[in-house]
Amino acid sequence: MSLTRRNALALGSASFVVTLLPLNAFAASDETMAAIKSFTGGSAVSEGGISLTTPEIAENGNTVPIQFSASGAKRVMILADGNPTPGVGTFNFGELSDASGSTRIRLAGTQNVIALAEMADGSFAQVAKTVKVTIGGCGG
Amino acid sequence: MAKARVKAPKTAAAGELVTIKTLVNHKMESGRRKDGDGNLIPRKIINAFTATFGGEEVISAKFEPAISTNPYFQFSFTVPATGDLVMQWTDDDGSTVEQTKTITVA
């Protein structure tokens, strides 16, 4: 993308608006809520039982290392609330697995990363972490 | 297509939790980037990863475009006995890459 004067102004005002928004942990977008609903089937989601490790500040949104662990989980879904499409990945664990993993993800900007787990007993747990992104990673 | 690199221990004790690190050389084109003429570059990512040990599923994952270029994935599992860890990555175009690592229980 070539940075014209018009683009620069638009970017500047957009980032200004973003900083004004309160960083509420569960002010998730409609798409994110829909993805959570399709994962849980509408069941109640509790806190705890799953951990998500993210950097507090990611300089480069193109590769943000994340690590999740949900002992006893059957499935884990990772969502990036502020990306153009919230889905990041879904992981199914077999008997031998310890239901953990780590990977590197793209984040378009400062946002919440949400991890949801379906436990072996059918209950659901979630955790959200805010990651500040200096340079977004979704092309342009 | 892509080339996969896997780091896995060659030997393990029975019941030991081992960590496997995997990295695939792949652009993971998200489908949102534009080329010089402003046309969208079509999406081309690795959309699935599976790992089995001795025929039993260890982990299977569905990747979205939000997974970074050169997808790195690390996971752990308990080794019950000597066997082959078979890992497979599936591209959007249907092609697959497979890697097998034998872990020997001493």
Side-chain angles (χ1 to χ4, degrees):
Chain A
M1 190 176 80
S2 61
L3 200 64
T4 61
R5 186 184 149 87
R6 181 169 299 180
N7 280 336
L9 278 171
L11 274 175
S13 52
S15 55
F16 181 65
V17 169
V18 166
T19 53
L20 284 180
L21 289 173
L23 286 170
N24 184 337
F26 290 106
S29 71
D30 289 352
E31 275 184 329
T32 308
M33 294 311 279
I36 292 174
K37 207 168 171 212
S38 74
F39 184 78
T40 62
S43 307
V45 179
S46 62
E47 303 275 315
I50 177 166
S51 74
L52 175 69
T53 312
T54 60
E56 235 171 78
I57 298 174
E59 287 193 359
N60 182 356
N62 271 313
T63 57
V64 182
I66 63 158
Q67 199 258 325
F68 59 87
S69 166
S71 187
K74 281 192 296 185
R75 289 193 300 155
V76 166
M77 179 170 73
I78 310 288
L79 296 169
D81 189 27
N83 274 4
T85 52
V88 172
T90 312
F91 307 88
N92 300 300
F93 305 106
E95 291 281 309
L96 297 173
S97 171
D98 72 340
S100 73
S102 57
T103 185
R104 296 174 188 149
I105 66 171
R106 291 178 176 139
L107 296 176
T110 298
Q111 58 179 284
N112 290 320
V113 177
I114 302 164
L116 278 159
E118 181 181 0
M119 298 301 175
D121 62 4
S123 65
F124 292 93
Q126 84 169 9
V127 62
K129 284 279 170 76
T130 304
V131 184
K132 289 193 169 77
V133 177
T134 317
I135 304 167
C138 275
Chain B
M1 60 155 208
K3 204 178 105 196
R5 280 181 285 164
V6 176
K7 198 173 178 188
K10 286 193 174 66
T11 60
E16 188 186 338
L17 188 71
V18 295
T19 300
I20 315 294
K21 293 176 177 177
T22 69
L23 187 79
V24 188
N25 286 331
H26 194 284
K27 280 186 90 168
M28 295 292 274
E29 195 59 66
S30 69
R32 305 196 74 89
R33 294 200 312 148
K34 286 171 181 162
D35 63 17
D37 304 323
N39 303 314
L40 272 183
I41 304 169
R43 173 183 136 154
K44 190 178 188 298
I45 66 166
I46 288 174
N47 59 40
F49 168 71
T50 58
T52 60
F53 189 78
E56 192 182 338
E57 181 182 297
V58 174
I59 194 163
S60 71
K62 182 171 163 277
F63 291 163
E64 307 283 349
I67 300 287
S68 297
T69 307
N70 298 337
Y72 164 83
F73 188 61
Q74 180 190 319
F75 61 97
S76 305
F77 73 101
T78 315
V79 181
T82 299
D84 284 341
L85 178 70
V86 181
M87 288 151 287
Q88 193 182 58
W89 293 261
T90 310
D91 193 291
D92 268 350
D93 66 14
S95 63
T96 59
V97 182
E98 209 172 275
Q99 275 258 340
T100 303
K101 293 276 177 186
T102 304
I103 299 176
T104 312
V105 171

